[in-house]
Amino acid sequence: MQVKDTAAIVTGGASGLGAATAAELAGRGAKVFAFDLPDSIGKAPAVDGVQYVEVDVTDEDQVREGVATAAGAGVPLRSVVNCAGIGPSMRILGRKGPHDLGFYAKVVQINLIGSFNVLTLAAEEIARTEPLEHDARGVIVNTASVAGYEGQIGQAAYASSKAGIIGLTLPAARDLAQHGIRVLTIAPGIVETPMLATVSEEFREGLAKGVPFPQRLGRPEEYAQLALSLIDHDYLNGEVVRMDGALRMAPR
Ligand SMILES: NC(=O)c1ccc[n+]([C@@H]2O[C@H](COP(=O)([O-])OP(=O)(O)OC[C@H]3O[C@@H](n4cnc5c(N)ncnc54)[C@H](O)[C@@H]3O)[C@@H](O)[C@H]2O)c1
């Protein structure tokens, strides 16, 4: 599916993987609506063709309004890339006691339920658009993580949320098939984004050494390139694609 002269939503679009994807989509002629929280938008650079919209992905009303803004762009909404997420860690039994339940719920709320919220409300709008060739209307790309398969120590909440996205991919593709909407998921390994900003250079080098090939961390532009490839490819649907240099995470 071509993105030129279509509207696109990218959640988490003010930083990291989302920002790179928003810029790539805009570079290819899409009108991009980057949903993010006010703090992140405040720090984001202006990018031609990208309009930032303050949307908390966990809030139904805010997502509905954000989707309506994108739908009013004068070109059909055809693609969504869900990148909003958080990646904190906590052990099930830590020094301070058992895993905080509210913390677990928050991670699942943002990463999994937030993605589902945007997928659902954006799908409603995409389903209203005029179909293209072979009744195609649009594509939704979610972001899981290799932690959804091999979560590490401290990643119970994060891995659960990402495994949920992996499990959502096929039934969402099946549900939305009758509307001509494809659903795909990218499961990145370790990509150099602000999410990794807190770790030391030494730790970063250690992470890179664990990647078989290429022996380095991934780049946000590589995620964006893959997201665009999935959008472009009309026969890809219901699949989760790892982008990890063959990395398989060890327990820690
Ligand atoms: N960087 C990695 O190594 C890596 C690896 C695997 C998966 N991922 C996943 O990729 C996605 C993007 O991560 P990133 O590395 O670009 O992180 P990032 O921190 O650079 O960007 C995440 C963005 O999501 C936004 N966000 C958080 N909660 C939100 C909410 N409730 N509503 C709207 N926006 C919200 C943040 O404000 C931020 O701008 C996340 O889902 C993350 O779990 C990242």
Side-chain angles (χ1 to χ4, degrees), residues 92-237:
I92 293 175
L93 294 179
R95 275 190 214 106
K96 292 182 191 156
H99 200 292
D100 183 81
L101 192 59
F103 176 90
Y104 185 92
K106 182 181 172 190
V107 176
V108 172
Q109 185 72 25
I110 295 173
N111 290 357
L112 176 57
I113 300 179
S115 299
F116 182 72
N117 191 24
V118 174
L119 176 147
T120 305
L121 296 173
E124 184 186 25
E125 180 51 42
I126 298 172
R128 288 197 194 110
T129 62
E130 281 299 311
L132 302 162
E133 207 187 355
H134 306 301
D135 292 331
R137 286 195 173 84
V139 188
I140 299 171
V141 178
N142 298 311
T143 309
S145 163
V146 295
Y149 297 107
E150 59 260 10
Q152 296 189 292
I153 286 174
Q155 288 193 314
Y158 184 70
S160 303
S161 70
K162 295 303 189 179
I165 289 182
I166 292 167
L168 168 65
T169 308
L170 183 61
R174 287 173 164 170
D175 270 14
L176 296 176
Q178 61 175 305
H179 303 287
I181 301 170
R182 294 182 289 118
V183 181
L184 291 147
T185 291
I186 299 174
I190 312 163
V191 188
E192 199 132 11
T193 70
M195 210 176 245
L196 281 190
T198 50
V199 308
S200 67
E201 191 53 43
E202 196 186 354
F203 188 70
R204 216 177 278 237
E205 279 170 21
L207 289 174
K209 281 202 183 107
V211 183
F213 187 78
Q215 207 165 68
R216 59 168 172 80
L217 304 187
R219 300 176 182 132
E221 298 71 32
E222 290 171 322
Y223 173 95
Q225 181 193 17
L226 178 55
L228 266 292
S229 303
L230 300 186
I231 291 169
D232 278 347
H233 200 302
D234 291 331
Y235 204 67
L236 278 178
N237 194 10

